[in-house]
Amino acid sequence: MKHNKKRNTAFLYECLIKELTKAIVRENKEKQTVTKTILKEFFFKESVLKKELDLYNSLLESKKLEPSFSRRLLEETKKDFYGLDRKTVFNSQTSLINKMSNQLGHEVFSNFIPNYKDLASIGLYFQNQTLPAKKRIMLENNLVSFLGREDKVLTEMRHLDNLEYKTFVKKFNNAYERTLRKEQKDLLTNYIVSFSDNGVGLKSFLNEEIGRLKTAVQQQLVESTNTSNIENFKKVKAKLDNYAKTQINHQMIEEIFYIQDLISEVSKKWA
């Protein structure tokens, strides 16, 4: 099933958010201004693209739903999708695509979007009139499963304002003169962007990263022969286990940042 990502409003929005994140991290003031201007022009509260984006988010943020309720939600959300003036949506998307290409470059559409698969599935569901009946049913069943998922999702986080994330970036820039490790850059990037996507990308990243760190810590517990080191790694493991019950905040991000450092350094010694 072919999906035209440039006609997926949620994908276009996520590409802009990623572009803004990169501009913030790289302190590119000009690109920050351009990206913010585009976001404000096409995704203000009453805009047709913001209304369509809200429909995507209503499905992306739903979970643990019963199959019957999921099917009803999909049906009603699709009605709302076609309740929007599709010609106005198409024209707005065209203007947005052109502005993104001309002002940010074609590479903006190549930004890595962690939940692209989910965005594509929802986009296909919304626009599946031309698909054969069997594929439409398969697509709906996949989304019903998605809406019924029970992810090990961390506690909902609050939004971060501009001052908070700028302060956070400055703090780490001052604390780390050396180049950050890839996993630390990913953590920082996802944290910065979380103010604008309700933390969806950050929570997904943390679920995977905390799992990776737990595995690494467990390996050290098995391989280490130093009693003091074993006790310290047990404390780190307990802290990682406790994050599933903790609200995402600055302290958690900082702690994970330093645990990433610890694991990397210890792994070098064992390599």
Side-chain angles (χ1 to χ4, degrees):
M1 290 179 278
K2 191 175 180 180
H3 174 248
N4 184 353
K5 63 183 182 180
K6 289 186 180 181
R7 290 297 168 182
N8 184 313
T9 296
F11 171 77
L12 296 175
Y13 177 80
E14 291 299 329
C15 284
L16 286 168
I17 293 300
K18 280 291 182 181
E19 200 66 20
L20 177 59
T21 300
K22 291 191 295 185
I24 292 170
V25 172
R26 296 168 182 169
E27 299 185 348
N28 186 329
K29 302 291 186 183
E30 182 180 352
K31 186 159 283 188
Q32 286 181 48
T33 300
V34 171
T35 309
K36 287 179 181 178
T37 300
I38 294 175
L39 282 165
K40 288 178 182 178
E41 179 180 352
F42 289 94
F43 291 98
F44 61 91
K45 188 175 181 180
E46 297 304 318
S47 71
V48 69
L49 293 186
K50 177 61 169 64
K51 291 177 181 178
E52 183 163 291
L53 176 65
D54 288 343
L55 296 179
Y56 277 87
N57 286 334
S58 70
L59 297 179
L60 288 168
E61 295 169 9
S62 298
K63 58 181 179 291
K64 296 183 179 180
L65 302 182
E66 293 294 327
S68 58
F69 186 85
S70 295
R71 293 185 190 281
R72 181 68 187 278
L73 177 62
L74 287 169
E75 181 183 344
E76 293 301 320
T77 306
K78 194 169 190 176
K79 286 181 182 177
D80 291 340
F81 179 85
Y82 282 99
L84 299 174
D85 188 321
R86 300 316 307 167
K87 184 176 181 180
T88 300
V89 171
F90 184 87
N91 290 339
S92 295
Q93 286 177 335
T94 301
S95 297
L96 173 58
I97 292 165
N98 289 336
K99 190 151 288 190
M100 289 171 69
S101 297
N102 295 332
Q103 297 187 16
L104 297 173
H106 293 291
E107 61 273 13
V108 67
F109 302 110
S110 298
N111 276 322
F112 174 68
I113 309 300
N115 64 334
Y116 173 73
K117 184 178 178 180
D118 298 331
L119 297 181
S121 294
I122 295 172
L124 278 170
Y125 172 75
F126 282 151
Q127 305 172 50
N128 66 7
Q129 277 84 348
T130 58
L131 292 176
K134 184 177 180 180
K135 289 186 176 180
R136 292 202 305 270
I137 293 171
M138 288 173 61
L139 188 57
E140 181 177 314
N141 286 340
N142 288 340
L143 284 175
V144 168
S145 297
F146 172 76
L147 294 172
R149 72 200 184 285
E150 292 195 34
D151 294 337
K152 294 179 180 177
V153 178
L154 297 167
T155 309
E156 279 296 315
M157 61 177 293
R158 58 189 175 82
H159 284 281
L160 306 170
D161 61 29
N162 291 350
L163 178 61
E164 285 183 300
Y165 74 72
K166 285 180 180 177
T167 301
F168 187 78
V169 173
K170 184 178 180 181
K171 180 175 182 178
F172 277 102
N173 282 341
N174 292 336
Y176 279 78
E177 295 179 358
R178 61 168 174 75
T179 303
L180 297 179
R181 307 180 197 284
K182 179 184 181 300
E183 60 268 27
Q184 290 173 324
K185 287 181 179 179
D186 290 342
L187 173 62
L188 184 57
T189 298
N190 277 284
Y191 185 67
I192 293 169
V193 78
S194 63
F195 79 97
S196 58
D197 73 346
N198 199 31
V200 174
L202 176 61
K203 285 180 282 188
S204 176
F205 173 80
L206 284 178
N207 284 331
E208 292 184 12
E209 180 62 6
I210 289 173
R212 182 187 73 83
L213 293 172
K214 283 182 179 180
T215 299
V217 169
Q218 185 61 43
Q219 182 180 352
Q220 295 303 321
L221 287 172
V222 172
E223 297 177 353
S224 180
T225 56
N226 184 299
T227 304
S228 177
N229 285 347
I230 290 173
E231 289 303 312
N232 287 332
F233 277 116
K234 283 182 178 178
K235 291 177 182 178
V236 173
K237 185 176 183 302
K239 186 170 286 292
L240 289 169
D241 288 337
N242 193 53
Y243 286 150
K245 300 176 287 185
T246 306
Q247 182 182 23
I248 302 173
N249 53 30
H250 287 241
Q251 182 180 345
M252 178 192 289
I253 300 300
E254 288 184 39
E255 288 174 354
I256 293 175
F257 195 89
Y258 293 117
I259 292 173
Q260 288 174 323
D261 243 354
L262 171 66
I263 293 302
S264 182
E265 290 301 320
V266 171
S267 297
K268 284 181 183 178
K269 293 178 181 179
W270 283 88

